[in-house]
Amino acid sequence: MEDITDYFISLLQEHRSVDIAEAEFKRAIAEDDELRAEYRQWCHEVGNSEKYGFVDFCKEYLEDQDQVWQSLSEYDDE
């Protein structure tokens, strides 16, 4: 499987909503023991809880994307 964060990003891009992506992710880890184990390991490595790890990642990713767009807009304004 690809890096789990790539999977998170693909869910966000596909569903265009954190809530819907989260629901799809929860369904996926309920059905896939390997994905669930990989997610647990990822949460442990980054120091996040399993309950909020996916949503926290999504929020941080979206904030980072917003900052990129803001930087590009500011560059274009100059």
Side-chain angles (χ1 to χ4, degrees):
M1 176 176 227
E2 63 198 78
D3 181 77
I4 194 159
T5 57
D6 291 336
Y7 178 63
F8 295 166
I9 294 167
S10 72
L11 286 174
L12 271 175
Q13 291 173 338
E14 180 180 347
H15 299 289
R16 301 193 181 276
S17 162
V18 174
D19 293 336
I20 296 170
E22 179 186 23
E24 178 62 24
F25 179 69
K26 285 181 178 181
R27 183 198 59 75
I29 63 172
E31 295 175 356
D32 186 334
D33 292 337
E34 185 178 326
L35 178 60
R36 184 173 38 250
E38 188 175 349
Y39 178 61
R40 283 184 177 147
Q41 180 180 349
W42 176 82
C43 286
H44 177 73
E45 288 173 2
V46 299
N48 212 330
S49 71
E50 290 180 42
K51 184 173 182 176
Y52 298 110
F54 178 78
V55 171
D56 288 347
F57 174 87
C58 291
K59 288 179 181 178
E60 184 175 323
Y61 175 80
L62 293 173
E63 287 173 7
D64 289 347
Q65 294 300 303
D66 285 343
Q67 288 178 355
V68 167
W69 285 112
Q70 287 175 355
S71 295
L72 290 173
S73 293
E74 290 170 3
Y75 178 78
D76 286 343
D77 291 341
E78 293 178 5

